[in-house]
Amino acid sequence: MERAYKYRIYPTQQQINLINQIFGCCRFVYNHYLDKRQTLYKENGTSMGYNDCASDLTLLKKSEEHSWLKDVDSTALQSSLKALDSAFDGFFRRVKSGKKPGYPKFKSKRSHKQSYTTKNNGSSIKIVDKKIQLPKVGKVKIKLSRPIDGRILSATVSRSASGKYYVSLCCRVDKPTALAKTNAVVGLDVGIKDFAISSDHVRYANNKYLRTYEKKLAKLQRQLAKKEQGGSNWHKARRKVASLHEKIANQRSDFLHKLSTDLVRKYDVICLEDLAPSNMVRNHHLAKSISDVSWSEFSRQLVYKADWYGKTVVKIDRFYPSSQLCSHCGAKWSGTKDLNVRKWTCPCCGASLDRDYNAAINILNEGLRVLAQ
């Protein structure tokens, strides 16, 4: 299996200039062949595949007008062509969910986020004395926060909007050893007031990272709006805004990874609803809160970690009325559609029910039923 390891790197000014040059060349190659494929299709209804573009790129680099393409990593330019080819494949390919990527767009040099990917040919990418060897760039100081396992296949060098540089190493590794079985099962009801409520009566708090820094973010954005766009002070203010956004994203990601890993270690079977946050954010009263909790990312992490460590994640239908069913007798009461109702009494058996705990138990029961089929 393949696994990625992302690290912060600290290039020198000379290396920064070279990395930025590679960004620009990769962007040029992507845009050049996107334009060429569009033009060919408009003129005669044909297009160019990856092999055609790669052959043409060789001739392009030999021309005097574009000889500067020889100064950068050639595998990075080839990766741009593959990215363009994948973008067209994604646009024309039918997707089971009915959704598919849009038509490929031209890349802008004004974007503050840039990246390029290069392959490891032989040992062109390697770790040497707390530095990483990158093709054409040389040895760059790296913060090795954790050891690298497996064989390095490729490296993606990126620059964040805040001006930090990172490298993501794609490695070929063995599948992790399955965790010991705990014979425990759990149902999770995700929410906004609490991030998640388990059938074991455990509440996982919603830290509301965006809400926490909302006032500070608004202040920085007001300061940015007052600066003359493109000036040095404007760039300083822009980086402050980007750094705060990055901090919020990092805190959220750290929480999701720790919680998902903890749940996979504790339980053999995890049941949760297959929600569609992209549809739920149409409710403008809850859109910001729903986006802040990142249910989709949490679900994604649970699924791949469970696959790694030999556990099971069961997703029940999003239209299953988990909040409306009594977990004691199974009676349905539609009054819980109102989100203000946090506790209710079953009209049939008289049981006093907490909305979230009751939903988590119903999700667990439905998940086990689906798993048994």
Side-chain angles (χ1 to χ4, degrees), residues 353-371:
L353 303 169
D354 179 280
R355 176 194 182 95
D356 300 324
Y357 288 142
N358 178 69
I361 294 172
N362 287 330
I363 289 171
L364 173 61
N365 294 335
E366 176 67 8
L368 294 178
R369 185 193 68 80
V370 171
L371 188 64

Side-chain angles (χ1 to χ4, degrees), residues 326-343:
C326 174
S327 57
H328 292 267
C329 67
K332 185 177 180 180
W333 184 56
S334 58
T336 53
K337 288 184 178 180
D338 186 354
L339 294 178
N340 291 325
V341 178
R342 308 315 301 174
K343 293 184 179 181

Side-chain angles (χ1 to χ4, degrees), residues 268-320:
D268 290 348
V269 178
I270 302 171
C271 305
L272 68 160
E273 292 176 295
D274 185 18
L275 298 175
S278 59
N279 295 332
M280 298 171 72
V281 294
R282 294 175 183 174
N283 182 339
H284 299 294
H285 298 287
L286 299 174
K288 185 183 290 186
S289 298
I290 292 173
S291 299
D292 194 17
V293 289
S294 296
W295 293 328
S296 294
E297 176 62 15
F298 176 64
S299 175
R300 187 189 72 87
Q301 291 181 12
L302 276 179
V303 169
Y304 82 74
K305 290 179 182 180
D307 179 61
W308 281 1
Y309 299 113
K311 301 302 181 72
T312 304
V313 172
V314 181
K315 291 186 178 182
I316 67 171
D317 189 84
R318 67 188 59 167
F319 299 109
Y320 178 73

